[in-house]
Amino acid sequence: MQLFKYIERINLMDQLIRQGRTGTQTEFANRLGLSVSRLARIIEYLKGIGAPLEYDRSRNTYYYEEEYSIQIKVDIQQLNYQQIRHISAGTYYLSKNISNVFFEH
């Protein structure tokens, strides 16, 4: 699933930046499985939302100028009847054989 691939890529990107192990922009893009232009757009986006991201030419690595971290976590779990009852995002319906959650628009 693409979503999980993107999440893993963002988490790896953050880890390499925090460890100062990104390498040049080309090396960094290769490590992430991205084109250089795609990586450049992601870096500009991160800077645009306030990430203190800079490049050190002497060490050939990206780094955060101050304490910063990007972490995305997905937690998938099955809900029980009580948890389903407390979901306020929509309406739930229960049948005798199968519990399903349907969201109405």
Side-chain angles (χ1 to χ4, degrees):
M1 185 173 223
Q2 285 293 100
L3 174 64
F4 295 112
K5 182 178 178 180
Y6 293 140
I7 291 170
E8 287 175 8
R9 186 177 285 150
I10 293 293
N11 288 336
L12 175 60
M13 183 180 197
D14 177 67
Q15 179 184 3
L16 291 171
I17 293 169
R18 286 187 289 115
Q19 293 173 350
R21 298 185 315 123
T22 66
T24 64
Q25 192 174 50
T26 301
E27 292 168 337
F28 194 20
N30 288 336
R31 286 186 177 128
L32 297 172
L34 298 170
S35 67
V36 174
S37 61
R38 178 76 173 143
L39 175 63
R41 286 192 302 271
I42 292 170
I43 289 170
E44 287 306 309
Y45 174 77
L46 290 173
K47 287 181 176 183
I49 62 169
L53 189 57
E54 294 296 328
Y55 185 76
D56 184 335
R57 292 182 196 273
S58 64
R59 295 184 316 156
N60 286 328
T61 191
Y62 285 91
Y63 68 97
Y64 295 126
E65 283 187 303
E66 55 193 57
E67 194 66 33
Y68 193 83
S69 180
I70 302 168
Q71 300 205 357
I72 301 171
K73 179 183 173 190
V74 176
D75 186 21
I76 300 172
Q77 52 186 268
Q78 189 168 354
L79 300 177
N80 63 35
Y81 175 78
Q82 285 300 100
Q83 292 168 316
I84 291 171
R85 285 190 57 212
H86 289 93
I87 293 174
S88 61
T91 306
Y92 65 93
Y93 299 91
L94 297 175
S95 71
K96 286 186 175 183
N97 299 326
I98 300 174
S99 288
N100 287 317
V101 178
F102 297 92
F103 294 98
E104 298 180 310
H105 298 278

